[in-house]
Amino acid sequence: MATIAILGAGIMATALTFPLTENGHKVNLVGTHLDRDIIESIQTTGIHPDLDLKVNDKVVAYQLEDAEVAFEGADVAMSGVNSFGVHWAGEQLAKLVKPGMKVLIITKGMEADDEGNLYLLPEVMQRYFDEDLKNSVTWSAIVGPSIAGEVAVHHDTCVIFAGEDQQSLDYLADLFRTDYYHVWTSTDFRGCEIGAATKNIYAFAAGLGQGLLRKEDKQDDRYVRHNYNAAVFGQGQTELRQFMSLLGGKPETADGLAGVGDMYVTSAGGRNVRAGTYVGEGIPFSEVRDSLMKGVTLEGVNAIRVIGGALEPLTKRGVIEPEDFPLCRYLYQIIEHDAPLDMPFESFFGTMK
């Protein structure tokens, strides 16, 4: 039996406790300062209020002030904090992780500097570790199409555990594998993390076609905009492969679970798609942000802001060409400058021949 300590009690982190505990492992689930009500609910009723499910008995919930107790002696240290909390999580884990632990990350995204250099969030998190500690643990991540609630209710889910140490990946995969949670491994750590970060960009775009139908009051018509959405999805996949090449991943990683598979499930619904739908209806994104979806966490929009914002300085430096990433550039204009919806199809797929 292994002990897994998780920082963050959101729905994905908690959903992952199901396969672990069903395999006989112990999970110490530590809430952040934003998770106090969740932890209290689990401690008193056993129910995670956002999942609306009872967690398994081998899950022990801890408030943040008891994090050191929860992480003491753990075999695996997991970060279950979303991208907006990556710096806080890095600070906390640097105090909680001990040499020899296996660090497993579900936090996805990128940050950029003023020159457009893009950094994966695991790299950002590692900055808070001193060099000796950073090198004394292994670093792995879970990527791929995984809706938390589906994992929790045992719907078949296929994911990739990515890292640079195959022995650690095999160990971690064995902890999680069940008859419904199917795990592959990959040592293309960069490629898998690039896919996990960039696919969120195109989830926002997935809502635009639906919004156009609503604007035209044709959402119940026989003929919908599958053609429109397919072209946008196809260009998104093209750009995923380009991001892989640009940032040091294997382009073929974009063709599997960590790329197009994850982009598909993220485009199927959720908050980012809803934001895109509003824009498709003709509502400026600034109004969506400040009114209709005020206070809602939009990781896809943040990915557009960070990654799309890096494209111009990268172009000025000659790292990429002006015609590269036309969809990402256009989505950046929508969310930063309230550009009206006029999809630049002629710039897709290289150039028209």
Side-chain angles (χ1 to χ4, degrees), residues 128-308:
Y128 292 90
F129 286 63
D130 67 54
E131 200 68 18
D132 288 341
L133 179 59
K134 183 180 77 170
N135 294 330
S136 72
V137 301
T138 60
W139 297 83
S140 306
I142 304 176
V143 302
S146 181
I147 295 174
E150 294 194 19
V151 175
V153 298
H154 298 187
H155 287 182
D156 285 302
T157 301
C158 298
V159 298
I160 293 177
F161 282 30
E164 296 178 349
D165 182 71
Q166 186 64 54
Q167 185 174 359
S168 291
L169 293 175
D170 292 339
Y171 172 83
L172 292 167
D174 285 342
L175 297 183
F176 282 84
R177 281 193 180 108
T178 68
D179 60 356
Y180 65 91
Y181 194 70
H182 313 284
V183 182
W184 285 258
T185 64
S186 172
T187 54
D188 184 18
F189 185 62
R190 286 197 63 80
C192 288
E193 282 292 295
I194 292 163
T198 54
K199 53 85 180 177
N200 282 326
I201 293 170
Y202 306 104
F204 176 83
L208 298 174
Q210 183 179 355
L212 282 171
L213 290 173
R214 290 184 180 181
K215 182 180 180 180
E216 299 163 354
D217 197 24
K218 293 181 179 179
Q219 60 267 37
D220 297 322
D221 282 9
R222 173 183 175 184
Y223 298 112
V224 294
R225 292 183 178 270
H226 290 318
N227 295 346
Y228 182 103
N229 293 333
V232 172
F233 192 88
Q235 177 61 24
Q237 169 66 354
T238 298
E239 295 187 12
L240 281 183
R241 288 183 63 91
Q242 290 177 318
F243 276 120
M244 295 286 180
S245 298
L246 174 66
L247 300 173
K250 297 178 180 178
E252 57 268 26
T253 297
D255 300 334
L257 291 171
V260 68
D262 205 358
M263 187 170 69
Y264 171 83
V265 79
T266 309
S267 300
R271 294 167 292 185
N272 296 291
V273 175
R274 180 153 52 99
T277 301
Y278 282 130
V279 171
E281 290 182 71
I283 302 170
F285 179 75
S286 59
E287 184 178 339
V288 177
R289 178 194 63 215
D290 298 336
S291 179
L292 295 172
M293 299 187 71
K294 185 176 182 179
V296 177
T297 300
L298 295 171
E299 290 192 310
V301 169
N302 189 58
I304 296 169
R305 181 171 290 115
V306 171
I307 300 170

Side-chain angles (χ1 to χ4, degrees), residues 75-111:
D75 302 287
V76 179
M78 279 184 62
S79 169
V81 178
N82 71 26
S83 61
F84 294 94
V86 65
H87 290 275
W88 179 87
E91 290 177 350
Q92 298 299 315
L93 288 171
K95 295 181 287 187
L96 296 169
V97 169
K98 300 295 188 295
M101 286 185 178
K102 293 172 172 54
V103 179
L104 184 59
I105 300 170
I106 64 173
T107 310
K108 305 295 183 293
M110 292 187 190
E111 290 189 353

